[in-house]
Amino acid sequence: MKLRSSPPSPRLSPASPASPSRRRSERLSGAAVLLGVLAFCLSLCPGRAEADIYMYTDEQGVTHFSNRAAADPKFKLYLKSPERRGASRGSVTPSPPSDRSLDRFTRYDAWIRQAATLYQIPEELIRAVIKVESDYDPRAVSHAGAQGLMQLMPQTALRMQVRDAFDPREAIFGGTRYLRVLANVFNGDLDLTVAGYNAGEGAVMRYGGIPPYEETQAYVTRVRTYYARYRATRDATNASIEP
């Protein structure tokens, strides 16, 4: 998954073609993500519909999502999406014993790389989300109940097939899967994907952009800042230490 850094509105590009054997594996993963999206959308709180979700499956068996049909006739209406009023997850309070050792910044490298490859999300973006969400503390818990490295709410963890959000590997794969879902829904727009991770995709659809929540706006800025730092240096520890 590559990010175009030059345009003013950065986007996460679609997945590249894969071999037949890998495509078969991706179809299975795609089916899991599809079920995750369906469960996510159906579970949003009731309310007036603010945006629809469109979908089509290409010739390689890869499922694409969009929050607008645009001019492409391949996209068909998939689900009416109700609004999800601002759902702030609150600040993170690490659960004791909190891990403050510097090696935590590189401890999960292998799993981050694997998740990045599987879901074709930039490795640096995954690291940035982990940094901002939990500061690499696998036992972190927010006041609202978000858990683990990527601060998954219990319902989101369930949709993303995460059995234990405090398990670092499960948290990384579940959080990255959720980023993939959001990137598909928002046509690869980086800022909307990140905003959706914090505030929920319903809020992003409702406002037609980053919601006017102070927490979410600050969150997007912080994730973008660390994303740039991880891209600029291969030393994850140095990039993770607060400036």
Side-chain angles (χ1 to χ4, degrees):
M1 195 62 166
K2 297 179 180 178
L3 180 74
R4 303 172 189 165
S5 58
S6 55
S9 179
R11 310 188 75 81
L12 300 167
S13 60
S16 56
S19 64
S21 60
R22 182 175 176 183
R23 286 199 298 268
R24 286 194 293 272
S25 175
E26 287 176 345
R27 289 189 189 104
L28 294 177
S29 297
V33 171
L34 179 61
L35 291 174
V37 174
L38 177 59
F40 179 85
C41 294
L42 290 177
S43 64
L44 293 175
C45 20
R48 178 171 49 90
E50 296 292 334
D52 298 329
I53 296 178
Y54 298 85
M55 177 193 76
Y56 88 92
T57 302
D58 64 24
E59 63 277 3
Q60 296 175 354
V62 178
T63 302
H64 303 264
F65 294 93
S66 173
N67 63 332
R68 53 183 181 273
D72 193 334
K74 294 194 294 281
F75 279 96
K76 304 299 181 184
L77 180 63
Y78 170 61
L79 193 68
K80 290 279 187 182
S81 179
E83 70 173 330
R84 178 185 179 187
R85 300 194 181 275
S88 171
R89 294 172 298 172
S91 57
V92 173
T93 302
S95 295
S98 178
D99 185 355
R100 308 308 300 169
S101 58
L102 290 179
D103 70 345
R104 74 187 188 277
F105 297 131
T106 57
R107 187 178 301 160
Y108 312 109
D109 284 1
W111 294 332
I112 291 173
R113 294 190 187 105
Q114 290 169 11
T117 299
L118 178 60
Y119 295 110
Q120 299 195 32
I121 292 293
E123 178 182 329
E124 299 87 352
L125 179 59
I126 301 172
R127 292 183 184 278
V129 170
I130 293 174
K131 169 63 183 177
V132 174
E133 288 286 355
S134 69
D135 198 22
Y136 289 81
D137 181 359
R139 305 303 299 176
V141 179
S142 78
H143 295 301
Q147 302 172 341
L149 282 175
M150 299 193 75
Q151 288 293 280
L152 295 171
M153 293 294 287
Q155 291 181 338
T156 304
L158 181 63
R159 298 177 201 119
M160 296 299 110
Q161 304 176 10
V162 174
R163 294 169 296 180
D164 181 3
F166 294 116
D167 180 285
R169 184 182 185 279
E170 286 200 52
I172 290 168
F173 276 79
T176 305
R177 182 183 293 127
Y178 188 33
L179 286 171
R180 177 69 270 168
V181 169
L182 292 168
N184 287 349
V185 168
F186 296 118
N187 301 312
D189 187 290
L190 176 61
D191 288 345
L192 298 187
T193 297
V194 173
Y197 196 95
N198 176 261
E201 64 188 73
V204 176
M205 291 178 178
R206 177 188 175 198
Y207 288 102
I210 300 175
Y213 310 146
E214 183 177 349
E215 177 191 326
T216 300
Q217 293 176 348
Y219 177 85
V220 172
T221 298
R222 289 198 69 207
V223 170
R224 287 291 301 274
T225 297
Y226 278 104
Y227 179 49
R229 293 183 65 174
Y230 285 121
R231 295 185 70 199
T233 175
R234 302 310 299 174
D235 189 325
T237 300
N238 286 340
S240 300
I241 297 174
E242 293 285 352

